Amino acid sequence: MKAKRSEMWRAAVLLLLTGCVCASVPEEPADRATPSDGYCSWITRAQPHGAGGRREGFSEFRLRVEGDPEHYQPGSTYRVTLYATNPAYFRGFTLIALKEGHNGDQEEDYAGNFQIIDEEDAQFMTNCPPAVTESTPRRRTRIQVFWIAPPSGSGCVLLKASIVQRKIISFQDEGSLTKRMCEKEPQYGETTDKPLLDCCACGTAKYRVTFYGNWSEKLHPKDYPRRANHWSALIGASHSKNYILWEYGGYVSEGVKQVAELGSPVKMEEEIRQKGDEVLTVIKMKAQWPAWQPLNVRAAPSAEFSVDRTRHLMSFLTMLGPSPDWNVGLSSEDLCTKECGWVQKVVQDLIPWDAGTDNGVTYESPNKPTTPQEKIRPLTSLDHPQSPFYDPEGGAITPVARVVVERIARKGEQCNIVPDNVDDIVADIAQEEKEEDDTPETCIYSNWSPWSACSSSTCEKGKRMRQRMLKAQLDLSVPCPHTQDFEPCMGPGCSDEDASTCMMSEWITWSPCSMSCGAGVRSRERYVKQFPDDGFACTHSTEETEPCTVNDDCSPSSCLVTEWGEWDACSATCGLGMKRRERMVKMPPSDGSICGAEVVEVERCMMPECHTIPCLLSPWSDWSDCSVTCGKGTRIRQRMLKSPVELGECKEELEQMEKCMLPECPMDCVMSEWSEWSECSKSCGKGHLIRSRMITLEPQFGGDLCPETTQRKTCKIKKCNQGGLNSDERKRRKEDRKKRRNKQGREESADELAEEDRWT
């Protein structure tokens, strides 16, 4: 019944998309492409239908590519989200990726490939394979799919969506349901196809990979784990296209899971070394505590590796700790160019990805396995509101690390036609240490390649090989030695010398017997204290079991219990901790008594030793100036942390504060408010206004002197009557009045000033 409803709904959607209204359907031309023709252009011609269609600019539905990029990297994977703003919803949808300027009539018009994330939400359209549509029609507010960008040379791409809401279809060529992205210009040395199906380069190349942690409280402040932040040991390899360490959209191996959840590279290294000739170099770096430090404190960790024609891909990963199962890394980075050469430099900013094995959403979420296991996917800023990377606007996550891969040498004959730059030529000229041999001078060889991995991954005898190329034979009468060299070998950790460098802890005490009555088993554990210096895995066992018997004569008062469950994770990440396990009562005592068997068991667990780093501090700085200029205040002094500490914690204080007392603050003069301005002193012509204030408190203790108590400003009402005097006469009388005043040695009275103003 459900399938029938789904087919009916899909038929209705197709009718709407093709513009078919059953009430009155105009006859279509016979040559029009229909869904049965295998073309998809009928989707791109879909227009708004239903009650009024959609008005221009309607934006309750949005199509978004994570990070809102304007450009795409050929071959890269992007998360595409189609969502409705609250309280809108949609029942069906169609999603396509079309090359700009194409109308969708041909298969070549479509760009890239979609990848389904949740099969309950989305599926590929039967009559149009490049398009993605809903699996079943139901109310929903968002869907997500991956889009794998097309190869280089595809130009600009339009991601377009249509929305079905009841009987209304919304399809926009511009606006919120269309996203335009153009191809990113490749930088010098970058490969455009990832990975190349075949590599045509000759010889080998040597690279140095450097890892720069950029995960810090400053750049990623939300819930940043101040005490426990670190990068786990980095593990990776240079390998062939037949071996994939990890990839987006795939499931993790057990080794990758242990790196992702526990930061342990041991199992992952075993998996890599078991691949034999598919791997050329194992890449390893030590853990970083804390996750970020200035470069002047410690150089960024690095490692060297080699590649050749068959093993020209490079992958690695490292855990973001603490976290549920979050990592960063590169997957199958191709170092071979189209021109049959080797990439000079690769620089990549990294964002975290989810291994799909733990459901935690915060850095320190409790262990909660994902069942069933999910595929590897990039973390996004819209995953969960409690996520430290959450952004309600859906912006891009700030990169947490940067990796730089630089070519440092090449060996063997180079066959690329296009010459490399000067740095490449210098690298070729620089000769590495040559091994002594008896090769005739008339035989010109390339350098030996690195030794291959051993053909045996166990302690059975195997062999490994290296090879070189005969470049010239100057004298045909003198035979040239072989171009291949073999030597015996065994799997990692098999020789006595290897075993001697693998240090184990003492055995932890035996666990209680698994049965409270009758025969059972017990176990004990130990751990690796130090791995071999050459990076091989330890072959010593870390767990032992043996049979045990409790209470041979099981009486009616005995109860039967189940086997013990798995131990919980150790409560400590290093040193001594506690772990717990449980079992259930399968059958209580037949005599009705209480079962005396333990159903909960707690015991100590020992993790690798905690490497405590002493807390080294700089001397105290001088005391700062007092925070005030008079009276009571405070001052501080500081010192710096000069070395990292276990879990980033130093119990010593880095700042001190004390009180300081300066002379008592002086009391300044206190004044009253200004009075209102007086009336103008003249009834005509220019006069003046006056206002005043009083001293309410005299200054004390050397305070500021009191300011002025009166203020005066000019005023002008109107011109006064000049009395018929000309200007010369007025000037003469004014001079006479000044002379008389000066002779008498007195100032003008108010009446005289008024008189002078009247005449002048």
Side-chain angles (χ1 to χ4, degrees), residues 590-615:
S590 58
D591 60 2
S593 61
I594 298 176
C595 183
E598 296 288 340
V599 293
V600 176
E601 189 174 68
V602 178
E603 72 171 29
R604 295 188 301 174
C605 51
M606 180 65 71
M607 301 297 286
E609 294 181 17
C610 299
H611 300 288
T612 304
I613 302 173
C615 184

PDB file of all heavy atoms in Angstrom, residues 590-615:
ATOM      1  N   SER A 590      17.808 -22.217  43.644  1.00  0.00           N
ATOM      2  CA  SER A 590      16.566 -23.001  43.647  1.00  0.00           C
ATOM      3  C   SER A 590      15.911 -23.046  45.015  1.00  0.00           C
ATOM      4  O   SER A 590      14.726 -23.352  45.125  1.00  0.00           O
ATOM      5  CB  SER A 590      16.858 -24.430  43.162  1.00  0.00           C
ATOM      6  OG  SER A 590      17.846 -25.049  43.995  1.00  0.00           O
ATOM      7  N   ASP A 591      16.684 -22.740  46.076  1.00  0.00           N
ATOM      8  CA  ASP A 591      16.083 -22.789  47.409  1.00  0.00           C
ATOM      9  C   ASP A 591      15.480 -21.448  47.816  1.00  0.00           C
ATOM     10  O   ASP A 591      15.077 -21.268  48.964  1.00  0.00           O
ATOM     11  CB  ASP A 591      17.136 -23.228  48.435  1.00  0.00           C
ATOM     12  CG  ASP A 591      18.324 -22.271  48.480  1.00  0.00           C
ATOM     13  OD1 ASP A 591      18.304 -21.252  47.728  1.00  0.00           O
ATOM     14  OD2 ASP A 591      19.265 -22.534  49.247  1.00  0.00           O
ATOM     15  N   GLY A 592      15.418 -20.498  46.901  1.00  0.00           N
ATOM     16  CA  GLY A 592      14.796 -19.214  47.192  1.00  0.00           C
ATOM     17  C   GLY A 592      15.682 -18.228  47.909  1.00  0.00           C
ATOM     18  O   GLY A 592      15.227 -17.119  48.234  1.00  0.00           O
ATOM     19  N   SER A 593      16.914 -18.585  48.189  1.00  0.00           N
ATOM     20  CA  SER A 593      17.818 -17.659  48.879  1.00  0.00           C
ATOM     21  C   SER A 593      18.299 -16.570  47.919  1.00  0.00           C
ATOM     22  O   SER A 593      18.089 -16.629  46.708  1.00  0.00           O
ATOM     23  CB  SER A 593      19.012 -18.427  49.455  1.00  0.00           C
ATOM     24  OG  SER A 593      19.738 -19.059  48.410  1.00  0.00           O
ATOM     25  N   ILE A 594      18.936 -15.554  48.510  1.00  0.00           N
ATOM     26  CA  ILE A 594      19.449 -14.433  47.723  1.00  0.00           C
ATOM     27  C   ILE A 594      20.729 -14.862  47.008  1.00  0.00           C
ATOM     28  O   ILE A 594      21.585 -15.524  47.581  1.00  0.00           O
ATOM     29  CB  ILE A 594      19.716 -13.218  48.624  1.00  0.00           C
ATOM     30  CG1 ILE A 594      18.410 -12.753  49.282  1.00  0.00           C
ATOM     31  CG2 ILE A 594      20.350 -12.084  47.832  1.00  0.00           C
ATOM     32  CD1 ILE A 594      18.603 -11.627  50.264  1.00  0.00           C
ATOM     33  N   CYS A 595      20.853 -14.458  45.728  1.00  0.00           N
ATOM     34  CA  CYS A 595      22.050 -14.797  44.949  1.00  0.00           C
ATOM     35  C   CYS A 595      23.241 -14.024  45.500  1.00  0.00           C
ATOM     36  O   CYS A 595      23.192 -12.797  45.647  1.00  0.00           O
ATOM     37  CB  CYS A 595      21.826 -14.456  43.472  1.00  0.00           C
ATOM     38  SG  CYS A 595      23.208 -14.927  42.422  1.00  0.00           S
ATOM     39  N   GLY A 596      24.293 -14.725  45.824  1.00  0.00           N
ATOM     40  CA  GLY A 596      25.463 -14.078  46.405  1.00  0.00           C
ATOM     41  C   GLY A 596      26.526 -13.689  45.392  1.00  0.00           C
ATOM     42  O   GLY A 596      27.574 -13.160  45.768  1.00  0.00           O
ATOM     43  N   ALA A 597      26.263 -13.960  44.131  1.00  0.00           N
ATOM     44  CA  ALA A 597      27.270 -13.645  43.111  1.00  0.00           C
ATOM     45  C   ALA A 597      27.319 -12.139  42.853  1.00  0.00           C
ATOM     46  O   ALA A 597      26.291 -11.451  42.858  1.00  0.00           O
ATOM     47  CB  ALA A 597      26.948 -14.389  41.821  1.00  0.00           C
ATOM     48  N   GLU A 598      28.515 -11.640  42.617  1.00  0.00           N
ATOM     49  CA  GLU A 598      28.685 -10.232  42.277  1.00  0.00           C
ATOM     50  C   GLU A 598      28.209  -9.993  40.842  1.00  0.00           C
ATOM     51  O   GLU A 598      28.502 -10.772  39.934  1.00  0.00           O
ATOM     52  CB  GLU A 598      30.157  -9.832  42.401  1.00  0.00           C
ATOM     53  CG  GLU A 598      30.708  -9.919  43.815  1.00  0.00           C
ATOM     54  CD  GLU A 598      30.155  -8.818  44.699  1.00  0.00           C
ATOM     55  OE1 GLU A 598      29.672  -7.806  44.147  1.00  0.00           O
ATOM     56  OE2 GLU A 598      30.190  -8.966  45.932  1.00  0.00           O
ATOM     57  N   VAL A 599      27.457  -8.921  40.653  1.00  0.00           N
ATOM     58  CA  VAL A 599      26.995  -8.592  39.299  1.00  0.00           C
ATOM     59  C   VAL A 599      27.667  -7.324  38.774  1.00  0.00           C
ATOM     60  O   VAL A 599      27.478  -6.962  37.608  1.00  0.00           O
ATOM     61  CB  VAL A 599      25.461  -8.420  39.278  1.00  0.00           C
ATOM     62  CG1 VAL A 599      24.776  -9.750  39.541  1.00  0.00           C
ATOM     63  CG2 VAL A 599      25.012  -7.364  40.278  1.00  0.00           C
ATOM     64  N   VAL A 600      28.410  -6.641  39.616  1.00  0.00           N
ATOM     65  CA  VAL A 600      29.171  -5.458  39.199  1.00  0.00           C
ATOM     66  C   VAL A 600      30.599  -5.635  39.673  1.00  0.00           C
ATOM     67  O   VAL A 600      30.832  -6.041  40.815  1.00  0.00           O
ATOM     68  CB  VAL A 600      28.577  -4.145  39.767  1.00  0.00           C
ATOM     69  CG1 VAL A 600      29.457  -2.958  39.383  1.00  0.00           C
ATOM     70  CG2 VAL A 600      27.158  -3.938  39.267  1.00  0.00           C
ATOM     71  N   GLU A 601      31.544  -5.349  38.822  1.00  0.00           N
ATOM     72  CA  GLU A 601      32.941  -5.524  39.165  1.00  0.00           C
ATOM     73  C   GLU A 601      33.717  -4.270  38.754  1.00  0.00           C
ATOM     74  O   GLU A 601      33.545  -3.755  37.650  1.00  0.00           O
ATOM     75  CB  GLU A 601      33.500  -6.747  38.435  1.00  0.00           C
ATOM     76  CG  GLU A 601      34.882  -7.153  38.895  1.00  0.00           C
ATOM     77  CD  GLU A 601      35.312  -8.447  38.243  1.00  0.00           C
ATOM     78  OE1 GLU A 601      35.539  -8.455  37.022  1.00  0.00           O
ATOM     79  OE2 GLU A 601      35.400  -9.454  38.950  1.00  0.00           O
ATOM     80  N   VAL A 602      34.537  -3.804  39.664  1.00  0.00           N
ATOM     81  CA  VAL A 602      35.365  -2.622  39.418  1.00  0.00           C
ATOM     82  C   VAL A 602      36.807  -2.990  39.729  1.00  0.00           C
ATOM     83  O   VAL A 602      37.086  -3.627  40.748  1.00  0.00           O
ATOM     84  CB  VAL A 602      34.922  -1.421  40.288  1.00  0.00           C
ATOM     85  CG1 VAL A 602      35.830  -0.224  40.035  1.00  0.00           C
ATOM     86  CG2 VAL A 602      33.466  -1.064  40.007  1.00  0.00           C
ATOM     87  N   GLU A 603      37.711  -2.611  38.851  1.00  0.00           N
ATOM     88  CA  GLU A 603      39.121  -2.878  39.116  1.00  0.00           C
ATOM     89  C   GLU A 603      39.984  -1.772  38.521  1.00  0.00           C
ATOM     90  O   GLU A 603      39.522  -0.970  37.694  1.00  0.00           O
ATOM     91  CB  GLU A 603      39.541  -4.227  38.561  1.00  0.00           C
ATOM     92  CG  GLU A 603      39.646  -4.285  37.064  1.00  0.00           C
ATOM     93  CD  GLU A 603      40.265  -5.589  36.584  1.00  0.00           C
ATOM     94  OE1 GLU A 603      40.130  -6.630  37.271  1.00  0.00           O
ATOM     95  OE2 GLU A 603      40.877  -5.562  35.517  1.00  0.00           O
ATOM     96  N   ARG A 604      41.207  -1.768  38.957  1.00  0.00           N
ATOM     97  CA  ARG A 604      42.132  -0.767  38.451  1.00  0.00           C
ATOM     98  C   ARG A 604      42.552  -1.094  37.021  1.00  0.00           C
ATOM     99  O   ARG A 604      42.561  -2.247  36.618  1.00  0.00           O
ATOM    100  CB  ARG A 604      43.374  -0.689  39.338  1.00  0.00           C
ATOM    101  CG  ARG A 604      43.083  -0.191  40.743  1.00  0.00           C
ATOM    102  CD  ARG A 604      44.365   0.051  41.507  1.00  0.00           C
ATOM    103  NE  ARG A 604      45.181  -1.174  41.599  1.00  0.00           N
ATOM    104  CZ  ARG A 604      46.395  -1.198  42.123  1.00  0.00           C
ATOM    105  NH1 ARG A 604      46.941  -0.083  42.586  1.00  0.00           N
ATOM    106  NH2 ARG A 604      47.070  -2.328  42.187  1.00  0.00           N
ATOM    107  N   CYS A 605      42.896  -0.073  36.263  1.00  0.00           N
ATOM    108  CA  CYS A 605      43.416  -0.255  34.917  1.00  0.00           C
ATOM    109  C   CYS A 605      44.622   0.655  34.737  1.00  0.00           C
ATOM    110  O   CYS A 605      44.679   1.744  35.303  1.00  0.00           O
ATOM    111  CB  CYS A 605      42.354   0.034  33.847  1.00  0.00           C
ATOM    112  SG  CYS A 605      41.522   1.625  34.050  1.00  0.00           S
ATOM    113  N   MET A 606      45.576   0.172  33.994  1.00  0.00           N
ATOM    114  CA  MET A 606      46.814   0.918  33.821  1.00  0.00           C
ATOM    115  C   MET A 606      46.963   1.298  32.350  1.00  0.00           C
ATOM    116  O   MET A 606      46.975   0.443  31.474  1.00  0.00           O
ATOM    117  CB  MET A 606      48.017   0.063  34.262  1.00  0.00           C
ATOM    118  CG  MET A 606      49.353   0.780  34.106  1.00  0.00           C
ATOM    119  SD  MET A 606      49.516   2.224  35.172  1.00  0.00           S
ATOM    120  CE  MET A 606      49.685   1.423  36.763  1.00  0.00           C
ATOM    121  N   MET A 607      47.031   2.591  32.099  1.00  0.00           N
ATOM    122  CA  MET A 607      47.276   3.104  30.758  1.00  0.00           C
ATOM    123  C   MET A 607      48.750   3.476  30.646  1.00  0.00           C
ATOM    124  O   MET A 607      49.477   3.451  31.637  1.00  0.00           O
ATOM    125  CB  MET A 607      46.384   4.325  30.494  1.00  0.00           C
ATOM    126  CG  MET A 607      44.895   4.046  30.626  1.00  0.00           C
ATOM    127  SD  MET A 607      44.310   2.840  29.430  1.00  0.00           S
ATOM    128  CE  MET A 607      44.326   3.849  27.958  1.00  0.00           C
ATOM    129  N   PRO A 608      49.233   3.795  29.435  1.00  0.00           N
ATOM    130  CA  PRO A 608      50.637   4.203  29.308  1.00  0.00           C
ATOM    131  C   PRO A 608      50.994   5.320  30.279  1.00  0.00           C
ATOM    132  O   PRO A 608      50.159   6.150  30.631  1.00  0.00           O
ATOM    133  CB  PRO A 608      50.724   4.677  27.847  1.00  0.00           C
ATOM    134  CG  PRO A 608      49.674   3.892  27.155  1.00  0.00           C
ATOM    135  CD  PRO A 608      48.556   3.723  28.142  1.00  0.00           C
ATOM    136  N   GLU A 609      52.235   5.328  30.701  1.00  0.00           N
ATOM    137  CA  GLU A 609      52.671   6.274  31.712  1.00  0.00           C
ATOM    138  C   GLU A 609      52.430   7.705  31.272  1.00  0.00           C
ATOM    139  O   GLU A 609      52.585   8.050  30.108  1.00  0.00           O
ATOM    140  CB  GLU A 609      54.169   6.079  31.998  1.00  0.00           C
ATOM    141  CG  GLU A 609      54.500   4.741  32.644  1.00  0.00           C
ATOM    142  CD  GLU A 609      55.980   4.620  32.929  1.00  0.00           C
ATOM    143  OE1 GLU A 609      56.655   5.661  32.929  1.00  0.00           O
ATOM    144  OE2 GLU A 609      56.451   3.499  33.127  1.00  0.00           O
ATOM    145  N   CYS A 610      52.016   8.526  32.228  1.00  0.00           N
ATOM    146  CA  CYS A 610      51.821   9.949  31.961  1.00  0.00           C
ATOM    147  C   CYS A 610      53.187  10.628  31.926  1.00  0.00           C
ATOM    148  O   CYS A 610      53.969  10.518  32.869  1.00  0.00           O
ATOM    149  CB  CYS A 610      50.949  10.599  33.040  1.00  0.00           C
ATOM    150  SG  CYS A 610      49.281   9.895  33.141  1.00  0.00           S
ATOM    151  N   HIS A 611      53.468  11.270  30.839  1.00  0.00           N
ATOM    152  CA  HIS A 611      54.759  11.945  30.709  1.00  0.00           C
ATOM    153  C   HIS A 611      54.616  13.373  31.218  1.00  0.00           C
ATOM    154  O   HIS A 611      54.245  14.290  30.494  1.00  0.00           O
ATOM    155  CB  HIS A 611      55.218  11.931  29.257  1.00  0.00           C
ATOM    156  CG  HIS A 611      55.385  10.540  28.722  1.00  0.00           C
ATOM    157  ND1 HIS A 611      56.414   9.714  29.108  1.00  0.00           N
ATOM    158  CD2 HIS A 611      54.625   9.818  27.854  1.00  0.00           C
ATOM    159  CE1 HIS A 611      56.304   8.548  28.487  1.00  0.00           C
ATOM    160  NE2 HIS A 611      55.218   8.590  27.724  1.00  0.00           N
ATOM    161  N   THR A 612      54.867  13.533  32.494  1.00  0.00           N
ATOM    162  CA  THR A 612      54.714  14.834  33.116  1.00  0.00           C
ATOM    163  C   THR A 612      55.879  15.738  32.743  1.00  0.00           C
ATOM    164  O   THR A 612      57.036  15.354  32.827  1.00  0.00           O
ATOM    165  CB  THR A 612      54.650  14.705  34.646  1.00  0.00           C
ATOM    166  OG1 THR A 612      53.589  13.811  34.971  1.00  0.00           O
ATOM    167  CG2 THR A 612      54.424  16.057  35.298  1.00  0.00           C
ATOM    168  N   ILE A 613      55.554  16.908  32.318  1.00  0.00           N
ATOM    169  CA  ILE A 613      56.569  17.887  31.952  1.00  0.00           C
ATOM    170  C   ILE A 613      56.651  18.915  33.076  1.00  0.00           C
ATOM    171  O   ILE A 613      55.629  19.436  33.531  1.00  0.00           O
ATOM    172  CB  ILE A 613      56.194  18.579  30.633  1.00  0.00           C
ATOM    173  CG1 ILE A 613      56.046  17.527  29.539  1.00  0.00           C
ATOM    174  CG2 ILE A 613      57.238  19.616  30.256  1.00  0.00           C
ATOM    175  CD1 ILE A 613      55.524  18.088  28.241  1.00  0.00           C
ATOM    176  N   PRO A 614      57.861  19.198  33.590  1.00  0.00           N
ATOM    177  CA  PRO A 614      57.959  20.152  34.697  1.00  0.00           C
ATOM    178  C   PRO A 614      57.408  21.508  34.304  1.00  0.00           C
ATOM    179  O   PRO A 614      57.475  21.929  33.155  1.00  0.00           O
ATOM    180  CB  PRO A 614      59.465  20.214  34.976  1.00  0.00           C
ATOM    181  CG  PRO A 614      60.105  19.737  33.713  1.00  0.00           C
ATOM    182  CD  PRO A 614      59.171  18.735  33.133  1.00  0.00           C
ATOM    183  N   CYS A 615      56.843  22.162  35.306  1.00  0.00           N
ATOM    184  CA  CYS A 615      56.236  23.471  35.095  1.00  0.00           C
ATOM    185  C   CYS A 615      57.334  24.524  35.230  1.00  0.00           C
ATOM    186  O   CYS A 615      57.675  24.934  36.338  1.00  0.00           O
ATOM    187  CB  CYS A 615      55.129  23.682  36.126  1.00  0.00           C
ATOM    188  SG  CYS A 615      54.205  25.203  35.911  1.00  0.00           S
TER     189      CYS A 615
END
